[in-house]
């Protein structure tokens, strides 16, 4: 079956849990989490939950585990904590949960980022994969990076990803 056929069979609306990982943001200042939620809703998807966590690996892992155990959640999207500073730990917290990795997600994200930020694109550890039948996507924390990832990668394929994960 072709990719086009898969997309026609994909759900038009999925439920997404949005998790912001930041030591400094609040609901009022979380522009990246807000952008993810707004873009999802504009595209016809449902934001099942939204929270902000400190960049503590155990807390991030626990929150993602809770979300993937929730039968109503199809996708978990995190923002923040994907860099290489000593406090950036989202990648480690999520990587250990993934049963199947979508290596192409991070590769494409960095490729799309390169024309805009040059070699600094290598500093992001954006990633995606499958955990307990749920799609998990980790985006950087900047609003610009979130828009890029959502508009170019996530939104065009989110229904298709969920369809494949359910098979």
């Amino acid at each position: 079956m072709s990719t086009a056929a898969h997309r026609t069979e994909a759900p038009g609306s999925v439920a997404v849990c949005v998790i912001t990982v930041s030591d400094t943001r609040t609901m009022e200042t979380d522009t990246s989490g807000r952008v993810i939620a707004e873009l999802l809703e504009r595209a016809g998807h449902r934001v099942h939950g939204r929270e902000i966590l400190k960049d503590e690996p155990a807390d991030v892992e626990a929150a993602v585990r809770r979300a993937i155990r929730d039968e109503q959640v199809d996708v978990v999207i995190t923002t923040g904590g994907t860099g290489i500073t000593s406090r950036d730990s989202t990648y480690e917290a999520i990587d250990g949960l993934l049963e199947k990795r979508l290596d192409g997600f991070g590769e494409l994200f960095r490729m799309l980022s390169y024309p805009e930020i040059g070699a600094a694109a290598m500093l992001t550890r954006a990633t995606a994969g499958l955990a307990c039948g749920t799609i998990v996507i980790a985006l950087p924390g900047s609003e610009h990076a979130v828009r890029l990832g959502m508009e170019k990668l996530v939104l065009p394929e989110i229904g298709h990803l969920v369809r494949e994960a359910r098979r």
Side-chain angles (χ1 to χ4, degrees), residues 83-84 109-110 113-125:
I84 60 169
F109 184 85
R110 286 180 285 280
S113 298
Y114 183 82
E116 297 180 20
I117 63 171
M122 78 172 89
L123 297 175
T124 183
R125 297 181 303 150

Side-chain angles (χ1 to χ4, degrees), residues 15-17 48-49 66-68 70-76 133-135:
V16 183
C17 178
H48 182 71
R66 276 192 307 276
I68 62 178
D70 185 334
E71 293 181 6
Q72 296 179 32
V73 173
D74 299 304
V75 180
V76 177
T134 303
I135 299 297

Side-chain angles (χ1 to χ4, degrees), residues 59-90:
D59 294 346
V60 174
E61 180 181 339
V64 173
R65 278 188 191 278
R66 276 192 307 276
I68 62 178
R69 286 187 187 129
D70 185 334
E71 293 181 6
Q72 296 179 32
V73 173
D74 299 304
V75 180
V76 177
I77 300 176
T78 68
T79 175
T82 62
I84 60 169
T85 73
S86 62
R87 293 292 296 156
D88 289 325
S89 60
T90 300

Side-chain angles (χ1 to χ4, degrees), residues 99-120:
E99 297 149 1
K100 295 186 178 187
R101 286 161 185 77
L102 295 170
D103 295 327
F105 181 86
E107 294 164 359
L108 284 169
F109 184 85
R110 286 180 285 280
M111 181 195 75
L112 291 167
S113 298
Y114 183 82
E116 297 180 20
I117 63 171

Side-chain angles (χ1 to χ4, degrees), residues 6-161:
H6 284 188
R7 285 187 184 123
T8 62
E9 294 179 4
S13 179
V14 300
V16 183
C17 178
V18 179
I19 301 171
T20 298
V21 180
S22 173
D23 289 334
T24 59
R25 293 192 186 168
T26 65
M27 280 295 185
E28 294 76 33
T29 62
D30 179 23
T31 57
S32 296
R34 187 174 321 116
V35 164
I36 292 170
E38 288 171 359
L39 290 172
L40 286 166
E41 289 172 346
R42 194 175 308 146
H45 303 291
R46 299 175 313 281
V47 175
H48 182 71
R50 188 170 158 220
E51 66 181 300
I52 298 176
L53 302 170
K54 298 285 185 207
D55 206 333
E56 297 293 340
D59 294 346
V60 174
E61 180 181 339
V64 173
R65 278 188 191 278
R66 276 192 307 276
I68 62 178
R69 286 187 187 129
D70 185 334
E71 293 181 6
Q72 296 179 32
V73 173
D74 299 304
V75 180
V76 177
I77 300 176
T78 68
T79 175
T82 62
I84 60 169
T85 73
S86 62
R87 293 292 296 156
D88 289 325
S89 60
T90 300
Y91 180 88
E92 287 76 18
I94 289 174
D95 188 60
L97 299 175
L98 299 179
E99 297 149 1
K100 295 186 178 187
R101 286 161 185 77
L102 295 170
D103 295 327
F105 181 86
E107 294 164 359
L108 284 169
F109 184 85
R110 286 180 285 280
M111 181 195 75
L112 291 167
S113 298
Y114 183 82
E116 297 180 20
I117 63 171
M122 78 172 89
L123 297 175
T124 183
R125 297 181 303 150
T127 191
L130 188 65
C132 297
T134 303
I135 299 297
V136 179
I137 299 169
L139 292 170
S142 85
E143 181 181 344
H144 183 74
V146 161
R147 283 187 188 282
L148 175 73
M150 290 297 293
E151 292 172 352
K152 298 289 186 181
L153 299 173
V154 176
L155 292 174
E157 291 298 322
I158 196 167
H160 186 197
L161 285 164

